[in-house]
Amino acid sequence: MTPLAAQLATQIAATGPMSLGEYMAACLMHPEHGYYASRDPFGASGDFVTAPEISQMFGELVGLCLAQCWLDQGAPAPFVLAELGPGRGTLMADLLRATRGVPGFHDALRLHLVETSPTLRTAQAATLGRGDVTWCDRVEDLPDMPLYLVANEFFDALPIRQFQRSGTGWRERVVGLEGDGLSLGLGPEAPRPELDHRLGDTSEGDIVETCAPGTVIAAEIGARVADRGGAALIVDYGDWRSLGDTFQAVAGHAPTDPLAAPGEADLTAHVDFEALALAATPAAYSRLCPQGTFLARLGIGARAEALAQGLSGGALDSHMAAFRRLTGADEMGTLFKVLGLMPPGAAPPPGLDP
């Protein structure tokens, strides 16, 4: 039993079962034993690899996409360039390098990273190596000016709650005790007015996931983009509407039991993009697009060919494997999706459809 598991077991024994959201929040962000609070989980030496760590092409194309949005909106200055959950800072470093040639872009940007982990803030500072970075704990702390934002694999790590359909009501899935260990169970049946719209497309026993922290953040981004201008790119795995149990854990690049070692595995769930898009109103939103299609429209094929020039042997093999991993239908190309947010009446970010 991990130190955090012992604490959670004591809490549950005293106060009763906790929601999945409470469990996820403790496992990921506990100040002493939380997964993100105590380690750098990224890369081959960590527990998972994100798109920016796979290839520089991802961050480059995201950067050029946001820079084109900025140009299309009249190149406002100054503006906030922000990333939510920036990992090691790899995506932002690639974004900034790719946009150096965009006239006025770097002079106008005010760089902000939304990150709560001290460990990851240190890694981001080392990667970026610049003195003009401002770190924030929350989106609400960003300056009040046009906002150009990217969130890659950010929303999947926010705490969710799960509800199982039961007649015309719902039973919440909760974390309780079974013997000396943690286990999943069901709370009592109760109406959930916030899920009334799901009674028409679910059946007995179906599971629906909600993410209140995600919708609050999306609402803040949407309000800023609609009022001040800008654009947001949300890249994550998931689909338009939540259905089914997607709660999962990864440790050492392999799936694991999410209840087995609290605080020592990454916990995630698929993103409900419909909920984010609707929460972001009054901003407009794009059609949801598979990551592979988005990157292809932005020219990743040509970029891959250019980077391949001069490579041979293992270096070339690794480069092409990275290209396939980002775009392949059987890898990240269809599992990951892209949603764009923009001001009402504005064109969607390049690569996305209205």
Side-chain angles (χ1 to χ4, degrees), residues 9-49:
T10 299
Q11 178 181 337
I12 291 170
T15 62
M18 62 175 55
S19 73
L20 212 54
E22 293 172 302
Y23 175 76
M24 284 186 71
C27 289
L28 296 177
M29 299 311 302
H30 185 281
E32 183 180 0
H33 303 301
Y35 180 76
Y36 284 110
S38 60
R39 72 193 71 206
D40 177 354
F42 298 93
S45 61
D47 291 319
F48 55 86
V49 177

Tab-separated table of all heavy atoms in Angstrom, residues 9-49:
chain	number	residue	atom	x	y	z
A	9	ALA	N	-7.463	5.385	2.535
A	9	ALA	CA	-8.211	4.340	3.241
A	9	ALA	C	-8.693	4.844	4.597
A	9	ALA	O	-9.836	4.586	5.001
A	9	ALA	CB	-7.340	3.098	3.407
A	10	THR	N	-7.840	5.571	5.296
A	10	THR	CA	-8.228	6.136	6.590
A	10	THR	C	-9.372	7.131	6.424
A	10	THR	O	-10.336	7.144	7.208
A	10	THR	CB	-7.020	6.827	7.246
A	10	THR	OG1	-5.982	5.871	7.459
A	10	THR	CG2	-7.407	7.461	8.568
A	11	GLN	N	-9.274	7.958	5.386
A	11	GLN	CA	-10.326	8.950	5.128
A	11	GLN	C	-11.645	8.277	4.798
A	11	GLN	O	-12.709	8.670	5.311
A	11	GLN	CB	-9.895	9.866	3.976
A	11	GLN	CG	-10.934	10.904	3.583
A	11	GLN	CD	-10.489	11.768	2.421
A	11	GLN	OE1	-9.291	11.913	2.164
A	11	GLN	NE2	-11.446	12.336	1.694
A	12	ILE	N	-11.620	7.262	3.938
A	12	ILE	CA	-12.852	6.569	3.541
A	12	ILE	C	-13.477	5.852	4.735
A	12	ILE	O	-14.706	5.849	4.913
A	12	ILE	CB	-12.550	5.586	2.390
A	12	ILE	CG1	-12.201	6.365	1.113
A	12	ILE	CG2	-13.745	4.671	2.134
A	12	ILE	CD1	-11.652	5.500	-0.001
A	13	ALA	N	-12.626	5.240	5.563
A	13	ALA	CA	-13.150	4.550	6.753
A	13	ALA	C	-13.858	5.524	7.690
A	13	ALA	O	-14.835	5.163	8.351
A	13	ALA	CB	-12.002	3.852	7.481
A	14	ALA	N	-13.394	6.772	7.703
A	14	ALA	CA	-13.973	7.757	8.622
A	14	ALA	C	-15.196	8.447	8.042
A	14	ALA	O	-16.162	8.725	8.777
A	14	ALA	CB	-12.916	8.798	8.986
A	15	THR	N	-15.188	8.726	6.744
A	15	THR	CA	-16.243	9.572	6.175
A	15	THR	C	-17.053	8.898	5.071
A	15	THR	O	-18.006	9.494	4.571
A	15	THR	CB	-15.634	10.876	5.622
A	15	THR	OG1	-14.712	10.556	4.568
A	15	THR	CG2	-14.892	11.641	6.711
A	16	GLY	N	-16.682	7.698	4.666
A	16	GLY	CA	-17.421	7.003	3.632
A	16	GLY	C	-16.771	7.113	2.264
A	16	GLY	O	-15.767	7.821	2.092
A	17	PRO	N	-17.331	6.419	1.262
A	17	PRO	CA	-16.748	6.404	-0.083
A	17	PRO	C	-16.610	7.798	-0.683
A	17	PRO	O	-17.371	8.710	-0.357
A	17	PRO	CB	-17.739	5.557	-0.885
A	17	PRO	CG	-18.420	4.703	0.128
A	17	PRO	CD	-18.526	5.549	1.358
A	18	MET	N	-15.629	7.958	-1.561
A	18	MET	CA	-15.389	9.237	-2.220
A	18	MET	C	-15.684	9.110	-3.704
A	18	MET	O	-15.624	8.008	-4.282
A	18	MET	CB	-13.932	9.687	-2.017
A	18	MET	CG	-12.878	8.759	-2.589
A	18	MET	SD	-11.179	9.438	-2.436
A	18	MET	CE	-11.073	9.759	-0.692
A	19	SER	N	-15.998	10.230	-4.319
A	19	SER	CA	-16.246	10.214	-5.760
A	19	SER	C	-14.951	9.932	-6.508
A	19	SER	O	-13.848	10.104	-5.975
A	19	SER	CB	-16.818	11.560	-6.213
A	19	SER	OG	-15.816	12.560	-6.193
A	20	LEU	N	-15.087	9.509	-7.750
A	20	LEU	CA	-13.913	9.272	-8.584
A	20	LEU	C	-13.120	10.559	-8.774
A	20	LEU	O	-11.884	10.536	-8.850
A	20	LEU	CB	-14.365	8.712	-9.940
A	20	LEU	CG	-13.429	7.735	-10.646
A	20	LEU	CD1	-13.062	6.569	-9.747
A	20	LEU	CD2	-14.097	7.225	-11.923
A	21	GLY	N	-13.833	11.681	-8.835
A	21	GLY	CA	-13.155	12.962	-8.979
A	21	GLY	C	-12.276	13.279	-7.780
A	21	GLY	O	-11.142	13.754	-7.938
A	22	GLU	N	-12.793	13.040	-6.588
A	22	GLU	CA	-11.991	13.268	-5.379
A	22	GLU	C	-10.770	12.352	-5.374
A	22	GLU	O	-9.664	12.773	-4.999
A	22	GLU	CB	-12.838	13.024	-4.135
A	22	GLU	CG	-13.971	14.010	-3.919
A	22	GLU	CD	-14.871	13.602	-2.783
A	22	GLU	OE1	-15.447	12.496	-2.824
A	22	GLU	OE2	-14.993	14.393	-1.825
A	23	TYR	N	-10.959	11.108	-5.784
A	23	TYR	CA	-9.849	10.161	-5.818
A	23	TYR	C	-8.786	10.599	-6.823
A	23	TYR	O	-7.587	10.614	-6.515
A	23	TYR	CB	-10.382	8.765	-6.177
A	23	TYR	CG	-9.302	7.727	-6.354
A	23	TYR	CD1	-8.656	7.182	-5.246
A	23	TYR	CD2	-8.924	7.295	-7.622
A	23	TYR	CE1	-7.658	6.233	-5.405
A	23	TYR	CE2	-7.930	6.344	-7.788
A	23	TYR	CZ	-7.297	5.819	-6.682
A	23	TYR	OH	-6.303	4.880	-6.839
A	24	MET	N	-9.207	10.986	-8.030
A	24	MET	CA	-8.249	11.426	-9.046
A	24	MET	C	-7.489	12.658	-8.593
A	24	MET	O	-6.262	12.751	-8.776
A	24	MET	CB	-8.964	11.715	-10.365
A	24	MET	CG	-9.368	10.510	-11.158
A	24	MET	SD	-10.065	10.975	-12.785
A	24	MET	CE	-8.582	11.564	-13.631
A	25	ALA	N	-8.191	13.614	-8.019
A	25	ALA	CA	-7.539	14.840	-7.580
A	25	ALA	C	-6.471	14.550	-6.538
A	25	ALA	O	-5.364	15.107	-6.582
A	25	ALA	CB	-8.573	15.814	-7.028
A	26	ALA	N	-6.773	13.653	-5.602
A	26	ALA	CA	-5.793	13.308	-4.576
A	26	ALA	C	-4.594	12.587	-5.191
A	26	ALA	O	-3.442	12.890	-4.873
A	26	ALA	CB	-6.443	12.438	-3.505
A	27	CYS	N	-4.858	11.637	-6.077
A	27	CYS	CA	-3.775	10.842	-6.672
A	27	CYS	C	-2.838	11.697	-7.519
A	27	CYS	O	-1.620	11.469	-7.546
A	27	CYS	CB	-4.347	9.730	-7.539
A	27	CYS	SG	-5.144	8.403	-6.607
A	28	LEU	N	-3.393	12.679	-8.213
A	28	LEU	CA	-2.573	13.462	-9.137
A	28	LEU	C	-1.940	14.680	-8.478
A	28	LEU	O	-0.803	15.038	-8.803
A	28	LEU	CB	-3.420	13.898	-10.343
A	28	LEU	CG	-3.939	12.764	-11.229
A	28	LEU	CD1	-4.821	13.324	-12.339
A	28	LEU	CD2	-2.800	11.942	-11.826
A	29	MET	N	-2.646	15.324	-7.545
A	29	MET	CA	-2.201	16.637	-7.080
A	29	MET	C	-1.996	16.747	-5.573
A	29	MET	O	-1.797	17.853	-5.054
A	29	MET	CB	-3.199	17.709	-7.527
A	29	MET	CG	-3.348	17.830	-9.041
A	29	MET	SD	-1.768	17.935	-9.952
A	29	MET	CE	-1.035	19.375	-9.205
A	30	HIS	N	-2.024	15.633	-4.852
A	30	HIS	CA	-1.715	15.715	-3.419
A	30	HIS	C	-0.356	16.402	-3.259
A	30	HIS	O	0.610	16.060	-3.956
A	30	HIS	CB	-1.682	14.312	-2.808
A	30	HIS	CG	-1.500	14.293	-1.318
A	30	HIS	ND1	-0.281	14.466	-0.707
A	30	HIS	CD2	-2.405	14.117	-0.312
A	30	HIS	CE1	-0.426	14.386	0.600
A	30	HIS	NE2	-1.697	14.196	0.870
A	31	PRO	N	-0.231	17.396	-2.362
A	31	PRO	CA	1.006	18.181	-2.306
A	31	PRO	C	2.251	17.382	-1.961
A	31	PRO	O	3.362	17.772	-2.339
A	31	PRO	CB	0.704	19.232	-1.227
A	31	PRO	CG	-0.473	18.702	-0.470
A	31	PRO	CD	-1.254	17.890	-1.446
A	32	GLU	N	2.094	16.259	-1.269
A	32	GLU	CA	3.259	15.448	-0.901
A	32	GLU	C	3.363	14.168	-1.726
A	32	GLU	O	4.446	13.818	-2.211
A	32	GLU	CB	3.200	15.087	0.589
A	32	GLU	CG	4.413	14.305	1.061
A	32	GLU	CD	4.344	13.957	2.547
A	32	GLU	OE1	3.337	14.325	3.202
A	32	GLU	OE2	5.277	13.320	3.043
A	33	HIS	N	2.247	13.480	-1.919
A	33	HIS	CA	2.276	12.162	-2.558
A	33	HIS	C	1.642	12.141	-3.947
A	33	HIS	O	1.555	11.076	-4.570
A	33	HIS	CB	1.555	11.138	-1.674
A	33	HIS	CG	2.115	11.033	-0.288
A	33	HIS	ND1	3.426	10.693	-0.038
A	33	HIS	CD2	1.528	11.267	0.926
A	33	HIS	CE1	3.630	10.682	1.278
A	33	HIS	NE2	2.503	11.034	1.875
A	34	GLY	N	1.185	13.279	-4.460
A	34	GLY	CA	0.516	13.305	-5.755
A	34	GLY	C	1.463	13.020	-6.908
A	34	GLY	O	2.652	13.361	-6.874
A	35	TYR	N	0.920	12.414	-7.928
A	35	TYR	CA	1.721	11.977	-9.079
A	35	TYR	C	2.441	13.140	-9.745
A	35	TYR	O	3.653	13.091	-9.988
A	35	TYR	CB	0.791	11.274	-10.077
A	35	TYR	CG	1.478	10.762	-11.319
A	35	TYR	CD1	2.246	9.613	-11.284
A	35	TYR	CD2	1.343	11.434	-12.528
A	35	TYR	CE1	2.863	9.134	-12.422
A	35	TYR	CE2	1.957	10.965	-13.665
A	35	TYR	CZ	2.719	9.805	-13.614
A	35	TYR	OH	3.344	9.347	-14.744
A	36	TYR	N	1.727	14.219	-10.047
A	36	TYR	CA	2.346	15.346	-10.743
A	36	TYR	C	3.144	16.244	-9.806
A	36	TYR	O	4.020	16.992	-10.256
A	36	TYR	CB	1.284	16.186	-11.466
A	36	TYR	CG	0.787	15.551	-12.732
A	36	TYR	CD1	-0.494	15.041	-12.816
A	36	TYR	CD2	1.608	15.437	-13.850
A	36	TYR	CE1	-0.957	14.446	-13.985
A	36	TYR	CE2	1.157	14.848	-15.016
A	36	TYR	CZ	-0.128	14.352	-15.078
A	36	TYR	OH	-0.569	13.756	-16.218
A	37	ALA	N	2.840	16.208	-8.532
A	37	ALA	CA	3.523	17.085	-7.595
A	37	ALA	C	4.949	16.633	-7.303
A	37	ALA	O	5.769	17.416	-6.826
A	37	ALA	CB	2.735	17.165	-6.288
A	38	SER	N	5.274	15.379	-7.617
A	38	SER	CA	6.543	14.833	-7.135
A	38	SER	C	7.470	14.305	-8.210
A	38	SER	O	8.552	13.826	-7.899
A	38	SER	CB	6.244	13.688	-6.147
A	38	SER	OG	5.506	12.655	-6.794
A	39	ARG	N	7.079	14.404	-9.505
A	39	ARG	CA	7.925	13.771	-10.514
A	39	ARG	C	7.723	14.395	-11.877
A	39	ARG	O	6.775	15.134	-12.120
A	39	ARG	CB	7.598	12.271	-10.596
A	39	ARG	CG	6.249	11.954	-11.252
A	39	ARG	CD	5.853	10.529	-11.031
A	39	ARG	NE	5.487	10.325	-9.632
A	39	ARG	CZ	5.566	9.157	-9.014
A	39	ARG	NH1	6.006	8.093	-9.655
A	39	ARG	NH2	5.212	9.049	-7.752
A	40	ASP	N	8.668	14.064	-12.782
A	40	ASP	CA	8.548	14.379	-14.203
A	40	ASP	C	8.153	13.084	-14.899
A	40	ASP	O	8.973	12.182	-15.053
A	40	ASP	CB	9.886	14.891	-14.740
A	40	ASP	CG	9.854	15.160	-16.236
A	40	ASP	OD1	8.837	14.851	-16.885
A	40	ASP	OD2	10.865	15.648	-16.770
A	41	PRO	N	6.877	12.960	-15.317
A	41	PRO	CA	6.399	11.675	-15.840
A	41	PRO	C	6.604	11.475	-17.328
A	41	PRO	O	6.207	10.445	-17.876
A	41	PRO	CB	4.901	11.738	-15.525
A	41	PRO	CG	4.579	13.196	-15.680
A	41	PRO	CD	5.795	13.948	-15.215
A	42	PHE	N	7.221	12.453	-18.008
A	42	PHE	CA	7.244	12.449	-19.468
A	42	PHE	C	8.473	11.736	-20.014
A	42	PHE	O	9.517	11.652	-19.371
A	42	PHE	CB	7.207	13.883	-20.009
A	42	PHE	CG	5.964	14.633	-19.634
A	42	PHE	CD1	5.932	15.417	-18.491
A	42	PHE	CD2	4.820	14.527	-20.403
A	42	PHE	CE1	4.779	16.107	-18.135
A	42	PHE	CE2	3.660	15.206	-20.049
A	42	PHE	CZ	3.654	15.993	-18.919
A	43	GLY	N	8.325	11.223	-21.247
A	43	GLY	CA	9.457	10.675	-21.985
A	43	GLY	C	9.739	9.222	-21.678
A	43	GLY	O	9.041	8.550	-20.912
A	44	ALA	N	10.823	8.719	-22.287
A	44	ALA	CA	11.161	7.301	-22.180
A	44	ALA	C	11.444	6.892	-20.747
A	44	ALA	O	11.184	5.749	-20.351
A	44	ALA	CB	12.373	6.996	-23.067
A	45	SER	N	11.985	7.808	-19.940
A	45	SER	CA	12.293	7.479	-18.559
A	45	SER	C	11.104	7.660	-17.628
A	45	SER	O	11.174	7.318	-16.453
A	45	SER	CB	13.456	8.351	-18.062
A	45	SER	OG	13.092	9.725	-18.109
A	46	GLY	N	9.997	8.208	-18.145
A	46	GLY	CA	8.800	8.413	-17.347
A	46	GLY	C	7.769	7.332	-17.586
A	46	GLY	O	8.096	6.172	-17.835
A	47	ASP	N	6.499	7.726	-17.541
A	47	ASP	CA	5.417	6.757	-17.678
A	47	ASP	C	4.684	6.848	-19.011
A	47	ASP	O	3.972	5.927	-19.392
A	47	ASP	CB	4.415	6.941	-16.541
A	47	ASP	CG	4.997	6.524	-15.191
A	47	ASP	OD1	5.684	5.492	-15.158
A	47	ASP	OD2	4.790	7.239	-14.200
A	48	PHE	N	4.833	7.968	-19.738
A	48	PHE	CA	4.152	8.097	-21.027
A	48	PHE	C	4.874	9.129	-21.882
A	48	PHE	O	5.692	9.917	-21.382
A	48	PHE	CB	2.681	8.494	-20.841
A	48	PHE	CG	2.472	9.751	-20.037
A	48	PHE	CD1	2.496	10.997	-20.654
A	48	PHE	CD2	2.259	9.700	-18.668
A	48	PHE	CE1	2.303	12.157	-19.923
A	48	PHE	CE2	2.066	10.867	-17.927
A	48	PHE	CZ	2.089	12.086	-18.563
A	49	VAL	N	4.584	9.114	-23.165
A	49	VAL	CA	5.193	10.044	-24.117
A	49	VAL	C	4.071	10.782	-24.830
A	49	VAL	O	3.148	10.168	-25.356
A	49	VAL	CB	6.073	9.311	-25.146
A	49	VAL	CG1	6.644	10.297	-26.163
A	49	VAL	CG2	7.203	8.562	-24.445
